[in-house]
């Protein structure tokens, strides 16, 4: 029988994010975030869904930790709701908000699960958006203040931190494509936001070194993989341009201290300019301890004139899709990992998210999500191949522990290995939960 086996050193985890699971949106002093505003504005989210209650993990966190414990994970990646702990965006901390995370952290540690905190998973306090949000450099300073306060509160117990989740989504998807909060369609705004997010990341890293000198910090960019459709130079160039937008724009500044020239020129042709201030690139390129990677999908990249900024058409490999419509491309996961090492060197990598959307429901008490298991097998096999190819991978964190609020898609799109009934909030472990539990226990799985 063919088996995939990992070393004992690889860490296994599961991930969630505050707005997607917590609920308790108006409780104990939390102020609205941009996602409260956006989801309560008609037409932005499918079915008018919002995160007011979500999975109610604000109250059910102990039950969730129990699921994590029995799953056997080494670590749990969750995010802090900025507006819960610092309702004014800056200044005073909200003791009840801070207590929620302190209790969660203590519960995790009591069950031998390492907490990994994401500081920013998109829920910017609305009060800061009202002052310009990430388009304003003031938000960089606010983020630094918030990050520093969190390091001081939790840095004695939490040693693994992520500054920003998926800066591409927080900038271009939200401010250029208009699909996520705050829902703008303005390339200049998106370029400004992307740069400010990276400066904020660098400033948080600087603060971290002082407050948590024995901790590790990184960030979690998302990217797919675009394999050139053919060896023709026009397809190779088109694929490269598509990848520059997802990868180099968010990684070159951090690891090389520069933005990719070709992309600057593409943006300039559209009258969108990078507004660099002196010292920005030095701040952004602070050494970090690990690179995160959120990988879900990929395609073939084919040159097509007139198709968007990058003249690249994404051609799916075949007709396999997850239930959110994303093509499945497990080999792309291997390719992107090898490419990251070739481009940025030996920096340790955590897979900070990987998983699949399948919308199976509970039938006679169980959820048979074999498709999710197949997806995970294929992707974890690619991970194994990447490790064998010498990519320094430290951990694999599955998205997601729970079905949750899938942003503009609402609750219809399910990524969890635990099913959540959004009427009763009852949790039901899916077949994939049991499969992942065995994989963690055995440090691998049989391929058949
Ligand atoms: O649910 C999201 C998550 O918040 C960020 N990464 C992708 C996931 C699936 O879309």
């Amino acid at each position: 029988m063919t088996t995939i086996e990992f070393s004992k050193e690889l860490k296994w985890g599961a991930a969630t994010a505050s707005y997607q699971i917590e609920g308790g949106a108006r409780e104990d002093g939390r102020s609205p975030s941009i996602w409260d505003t956006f989801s309560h504005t008609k037409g932005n989210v499918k079915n008018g869904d919002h995160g007011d209650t979500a999975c109610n993990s604000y109250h059910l966190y102990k039950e969730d930790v129990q699921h994590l414990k029995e799953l056997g994970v080494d670590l749990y990646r969750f995010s802090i709701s900025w507006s819960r702990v610092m309702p004014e965006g800056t200044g005073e901390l909200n003791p009840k908000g801070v207590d929620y995370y302190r209790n969660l952290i203590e519960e995790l540690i009591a069950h031998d699960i390492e907490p990994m905190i994401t500081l920013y998973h998109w829920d910017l306090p609305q009060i800061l958006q009202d002052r310009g949000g990430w388009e304003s450099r003031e938000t960089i300073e606010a983020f630094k203040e918030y990050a520093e306060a969190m390091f001081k509160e939790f840095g004695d117990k939490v040693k693994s931190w992520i500054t920003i989740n998926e800066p591409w989504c927080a900038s271009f998807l939200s401010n250029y494509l208009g699909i996520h909060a705050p829902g703008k369609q303005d390339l200049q705004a998106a370029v400004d936001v992307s740069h400010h997010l990276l400066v904020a990341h660098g400033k948080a890293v600087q603060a971290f070194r002082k407050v948590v000198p024995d901790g590790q910090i990184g960030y979690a960019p998302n990217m797919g993989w675009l394999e050139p459709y053919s060896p023709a130079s026009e397809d190779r160039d088109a694929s490269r341009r598509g990848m520059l937008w997802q990868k180099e724009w968010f990684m070159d500044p951090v690891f090389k201290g520069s933005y990719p020239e070709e992309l600057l020129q593409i943006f300039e042709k559209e009258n969108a300019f990078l507004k660099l201030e002196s010292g920005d690139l030095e701040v952004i390129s602070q050494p970090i301890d690990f690179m995160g990677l959120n990988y879900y999908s990929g395609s073939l990249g084919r040159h097509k004139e007139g198709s968007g900024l990058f003249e690249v058409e994404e051609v799916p490999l075949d007709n396999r899709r997850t239930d959110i419509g994303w093509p499945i491309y497990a080999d792309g996961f291997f390719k992107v990992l090898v490419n990251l090492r070739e481009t940025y060197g030996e920096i340790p990598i955590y897979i900070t998210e990987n998983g699949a959307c399948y919308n199976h429901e509970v039938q006679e008490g169980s959820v048979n999500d074999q498709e999710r298991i197949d997806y995970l097998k294929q992707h974890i096999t690619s991970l194994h191949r990447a490790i064998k190819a010498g990519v320094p991978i430290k951990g694999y964190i599955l998205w997601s522990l729970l079905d949750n609020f899938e942003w503009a898609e609402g609750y219809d799109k399910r990524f969890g290995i635990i099913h959540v009934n959004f009427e009763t909030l009852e949790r039901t472990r899916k077949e994939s939960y049991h499969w992942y539990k065995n994989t963690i226990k055995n440090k691998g799985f049989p391929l058949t």
Side-chain angles (χ1 to χ4, degrees), residues 17 28 83 89 92 101 139 163 196 231 259 281 346 370 381 401 405 414 436:
D28 296 337
S83 62
E92 291 278 289
Y101 295 107
T139 301
T163 54
H196 295 164
Y259 279 95
L281 287 168
E346 288 299 316
Q370 185 59 42
T381 302
L401 179 68
F405 176 75
R414 295 175 176 271
Y436 193 44

Coordinates of all heavy atoms in Angstrom, one line a residue, residues 17 28 83 89 92 101 139 163 196 231 259 281 346 370 381 401 405 414 436:
A17 N -11.3 32.5 11.8 CA -11.1 33.9 12.0 C -12.3 34.6 12.7 O -13.4 34.1 12.6 CB -11.0 34.6 10.6
D28 N -20.7 43.1 25.1 CA -19.5 43.4 25.9 C -18.6 44.4 25.4 O -17.4 44.4 25.5 CB -18.7 42.1 26.2 CG -19.5 41.1 27.0 OD1 -20.5 41.5 27.7 OD2 -19.2 39.9 26.9
S83 N -11.9 45.4 16.9 CA -12.9 46.3 17.5 C -13.5 45.7 18.8 O -14.2 46.3 19.5 CB -14.0 46.6 16.5 OG -14.7 45.4 16.1
G89 N -10.6 51.8 18.1 CA -9.6 51.6 17.1 C -8.2 52.0 17.6 O -7.2 51.4 17.1
E92 N -7.9 53.1 24.6 CA -8.3 52.2 25.7 C -8.6 50.8 25.2 O -9.3 50.6 24.2 CB -9.7 52.7 26.3 CG -9.6 54.0 27.1 CD -9.1 53.7 28.5 OE1 -9.9 53.2 29.2 OE2 -7.9 54.1 28.8
Y101 N -10.3 36.7 24.8 CA -9.1 36.0 24.2 C -8.2 35.4 25.2 O -7.6 34.3 25.0 CB -8.4 37.0 23.3 CG -9.2 37.4 22.1 CD1 -9.8 38.7 22.0 CD2 -9.5 36.5 21.1 CE1 -10.7 39.0 21.0 CE2 -10.4 36.8 20.0 CZ -11.0 38.1 20.0 OH -11.8 38.4 19.0
T139 N -4.0 54.8 9.8 CA -4.4 53.4 10.2 C -3.1 52.5 10.4 O -3.1 51.6 11.2 CB -5.3 52.8 9.1 OG1 -6.4 53.6 9.0 CG2 -5.7 51.4 9.4
T163 N 0.8 38.8 11.3 CA 0.4 40.2 11.3 C -0.9 40.3 10.5 O -2.0 40.7 11.0 CB 1.5 41.1 10.7 OG1 1.8 40.6 9.4 CG2 2.7 41.2 11.6
H196 N 0.0 50.2 2.5 CA -0.1 50.5 3.9 C -0.2 49.3 4.7 O 0.3 49.3 5.9 CB -1.4 51.4 4.1 CG -1.2 52.8 3.4 ND1 -2.2 53.6 3.2 CD2 -0.1 53.4 3.0 CE1 -1.8 54.7 2.6 NE2 -0.5 54.6 2.4
P231 N 4.3 26.7 -23.9 CA 5.6 27.3 -23.8 C 5.8 28.6 -24.6 O 6.8 29.3 -24.5 CB 6.6 26.3 -24.4 CG 5.8 25.1 -24.7 CD 4.3 25.5 -24.7
Y259 N 9.4 46.8 -4.9 CA 8.2 46.3 -5.6 C 8.6 45.9 -7.0 O 9.5 46.5 -7.6 CB 7.2 47.4 -5.6 CG 6.4 47.6 -4.3 CD1 6.7 48.5 -3.3 CD2 5.2 46.8 -4.1 CE1 6.0 48.6 -2.2 CE2 4.5 47.0 -2.9 CZ 4.9 47.9 -2.0 OH 4.2 48.0 -0.8
L281 N 10.3 51.1 2.7 CA 10.7 49.7 2.3 C 11.6 49.1 3.4 O 11.6 47.9 3.6 CB 11.5 49.8 1.0 CG 10.5 50.1 -0.2 CD1 11.2 50.4 -1.5 CD2 9.6 48.8 -0.5
E346 N 15.6 30.2 1.9 CA 15.3 29.2 2.9 C 14.3 29.5 4.0 O 14.3 28.9 5.1 CB 16.6 28.7 3.5 CG 17.5 27.9 2.6 CD 16.9 26.6 2.2 OE1 16.3 25.9 3.0 OE2 17.0 26.3 1.0
Q370 N -16.6 13.0 1.4 CA -15.5 12.3 0.8 C -14.7 13.2 -0.1 O -13.5 13.1 -0.2 CB -16.0 11.0 0.0 CG -14.9 10.2 -0.6 CD -13.9 9.6 0.5 OE1 -14.3 9.2 1.6 NE2 -12.6 9.7 0.2
T381 N -0.5 15.5 -0.2 CA 0.6 14.8 -1.0 C 1.5 15.7 -1.6 O 2.7 15.6 -1.7 CB -0.1 13.8 -2.0 OG1 -0.9 12.9 -1.3 CG2 0.9 13.0 -2.8
L401 N -11.7 24.8 10.8 CA -12.2 23.9 11.9 C -13.7 23.8 11.7 O -14.3 22.7 11.8 CB -11.9 24.5 13.2 CG -12.4 23.7 14.4 CD1 -11.7 22.4 14.5 CD2 -12.3 24.5 15.7
F405 N -19.0 31.9 8.4 CA -19.4 33.0 7.6 C -18.4 33.2 6.5 O -17.3 33.7 6.7 CB -19.6 34.2 8.4 CG -20.0 35.5 7.6 CD1 -21.3 35.6 7.1 CD2 -19.0 36.4 7.3 CE1 -21.6 36.8 6.4 CE2 -19.3 37.6 6.6 CZ -20.6 37.7 6.1
R414 N -19.5 26.1 2.6 CA -19.0 25.4 3.9 C -17.6 24.9 3.7 O -17.3 24.1 2.8 CB -19.9 24.3 4.3 CG -21.3 24.7 4.6 CD -22.3 23.6 4.9 NE -23.6 24.1 5.4 CZ -23.9 24.3 6.7 NH1 -23.0 24.0 7.6 NH2 -25.1 24.7 7.0
Y436 N -8.8 13.6 9.2 CA -7.7 14.5 9.5 C -7.1 14.1 10.9 O -5.9 14.0 11.1 CB -8.2 15.9 9.6 CG -7.1 17.0 9.7 CD1 -5.9 16.9 8.9 CD2 -7.2 18.1 10.5 CE1 -4.9 17.9 8.9 CE2 -6.2 19.0 10.6 CZ -5.1 18.9 9.8 OH -4.1 19.9 9.9

